[in-house]
Amino acid sequence: MTSPAPIDPSLDLEEEVARLKKERNAILLAHYYQDSDIQDVADVIGDSLQLSQAAAKTDADVICFAGVHFMAETAKILNPDKIVVLPDLDAGCSLADGCPPDKFAAWKAQYPDSVVVSYINCSAEVKALSDYIVTSSNAEKIVDHIPADKTILFAPDRNLGAYLEKKLGRNMVLWQGSCIVHETFSERKLIALKTRHPEARVLAHPECEPTILKMADYIGSTTGILKHAIAAPQKEFIVATEAGILHQMQKAAPEKSFIPAPPVANCACNECPFMKRNTLEKVYLALRDLQPRLELPAHLLTAARTPIDRMLALS
């Protein structure tokens, strides 16, 4: 693909994005982990479930997905006849990358009578090999829906799987994948931070390691964490998920204090390098040029749609 024409530096990108959305009959979907300037121009801001639901319902002709590759794939699966653009095609996901379809298929073949439940953070090829897709918002409900006599294969996040096993008292066969953001929160640094802020509640995403989850006052999806922080009477929170969510927390509850949980590395907070590949400039270019487009073969669109539809029906 040729390089896009340069951006006129005099343009007001927020105004241009608004103009292009109207001109293209486009919707801009943005994940909570996007930079704040993208969140501020988005039509829908949410977690994976909310954005999938929005993609399923939209009557826009163009979907610009400010997120990562598997999210744009999901939007395309739900809208095979619409144009779906991803501001940066290299915005991937460590969970999806760590679950290659060929190895996943071989793993599945070892358990011929199982029910395959895959976290939405996986490729379209893995979705097509799955019986149900779940997000952190609905995984508990969907796993609980599966008959108790069935063996469940859960992929690709071992931490979310282990959390569900403990919560539901149900053994599953887990794919050993993890999220590079959520697996690197430091237990030692979190203990030190909690010591300095003894009244702060710890809010954690179930993709975190068990050592972090055992310290959490609340465990939930990105949206669950946001809603809990807004509704809780406490004024101070330590947040163990990608720091992009803090923007919406601070907008919704400016009188409260939100502290990002520290990673093992010597920096202030955990950020997803894939999510941060998208910029407002790239969003503008994607809407201007309708590139780069997310395309999938017809057979994959059909096969991957079934487990996603099952998820949406149960959500």
Side-chain angles (χ1 to χ4, degrees), residues 158-221:
R158 66 171 185 259
N159 290 325
L160 176 58
Y163 170 75
L164 292 169
E165 285 188 314
K166 185 176 180 180
K167 187 83 180 287
L168 297 173
R170 180 154 189 184
N171 292 327
M172 301 187 290
V173 183
L174 306 181
W175 181 274
Q176 294 300 303
S178 62
C179 167
I180 58 170
V181 173
H182 291 94
E183 73 173 345
T184 55
F185 288 112
S186 167
E187 180 186 16
R188 178 181 59 83
K189 290 183 179 179
L190 181 54
I191 290 169
L193 190 61
K194 182 68 174 171
T195 302
R196 295 198 301 274
H197 301 272
E199 300 303 316
R201 284 176 66 80
V202 177
L203 314 180
H205 194 284
E207 287 181 35
C208 292
E209 296 284 335
T211 53
I212 300 299
L213 296 182
K214 73 180 182 183
M215 297 178 62
D217 299 294
Y218 174 83
I219 300 169
S221 67

